[in-house]
Amino acid sequence: MTDAPAALTVDSLACARGGIPLLEGVSFALNAGEALVLRGPNGCGKTTLLRTLAGLQPPLAGRISAPPESIAYAAHADGLKPTLTATETLQFWARLHGQGGVTPALERMNLAVLAQRQGQHLSAGQKRRLGLARLLVTGRPIWVLDEPTVSLDSASVALFAGVVREHLARGGLAVIATHVDLGLPEARSLEIARFRATTRAAADDFLEAFL
């Protein structure tokens, strides 16, 4: 993580998916140590907003302000190569982001005993923990997380919540779409459905999983 305090500002953002406007007028600001939890029913546009924040798709309007190369995105998919071990997976991401060793990330996500196990031999929950461990080797201060606790048991949810709290305590930020209580009482909530685009007439025919 960089020494400079991180900040994320979203001003009057409008987002679309598949050419369908979904959200408009989304505005919020986060400073170092703050977290924002996105709330709303399936299909309201949480994933689309997160993908826009992560730079995976352009906004229709509005502005996203964050330091360059400061955002790490964790999506629904774990994005693991089946033939790479847990260690090799994290080493790849650490090198990509110019970071060092991966042992602390393995230990923090309770993966040390699985360090030499290939991704194809991990359970769904273990794969999810490995996918989330990538956040720890990016060195990036802003975490954008889409349902990060999918496939996790209650103990692993608590483990990850602790990782998020530590990240915030070090001056990081987090924007999280989740239906699970992560035990972050300091986190603010933002109801996404209230930003529904007025021109979204055709969106009801769109598959909820992709919104």
Side-chain angles (χ1 to χ4, degrees):
M1 190 181 301
T2 61
D3 294 331
L8 173 65
T9 301
V10 174
D11 184 25
S12 301
L13 196 68
C15 309
R17 192 71 182 271
I20 300 173
L22 297 180
L23 302 171
E24 59 186 14
V26 181
S27 297
F28 62 85
L30 291 176
N31 294 311
E34 295 183 333
L36 182 69
V37 176
L38 307 183
R39 303 293 189 188
N42 292 337
C44 71
K46 298 187 297 295
T47 292
T48 296
L49 174 57
L50 294 177
R51 285 175 54 85
T52 304
L53 294 179
L56 298 179
Q57 59 188 63
L60 292 178
R63 182 176 62 90
I64 301 168
S65 178
E69 304 297 323
S70 63
I71 295 177
Y73 176 55
H76 291 139
D78 297 316
L80 307 180
K81 295 288 187 181
T83 58
L84 293 184
T85 66
T87 295
E88 290 169 338
T89 294
L90 294 187
Q91 286 174 337
F92 169 82
W93 289 103
R95 287 194 298 268
L96 184 67
H97 293 283
Q99 301 297 305
V102 302
T103 298
L106 288 167
E107 293 175 345
R108 189 62 188 90
M109 291 304 295
N110 197 22
L111 292 165
V113 297
L114 303 171
Q116 300 309 315
R117 186 172 297 184
Q118 292 179 329
Q120 62 189 334
H121 300 308
L122 298 175
S123 70
Q126 291 166 346
K127 289 178 181 177
R128 191 58 171 171
R129 280 189 280 130
L130 180 55
L132 293 171
R134 290 182 302 175
L135 296 166
L136 297 172
V137 301
T138 64
R140 295 192 170 186
I142 301 175
W143 290 0
V144 174
L145 311 176
D146 196 355
E147 298 294 346
T149 60
V150 171
S151 300
L152 296 184
D153 58 24
S154 58
S156 295
V157 170
L159 176 70
F160 180 65
V163 169
V164 174
R165 286 193 294 270
E166 292 168 4
H167 177 67
L168 300 178
R170 293 193 300 269
L173 284 71
V175 182
I176 311 168
T178 181
H179 298 285
V180 174
D181 183 4
L182 292 178
L184 301 172
E186 68 277 22
R188 291 150 44 196
S189 293
L190 186 66
E191 179 56 56
I192 295 303
R194 68 188 181 93
F195 298 104
R196 180 185 176 100
T198 56
T199 56
R200 189 182 161 181
D204 292 335
D205 296 327
F206 216 62
L207 291 175
E208 289 182 349
F210 296 98
L211 302 182

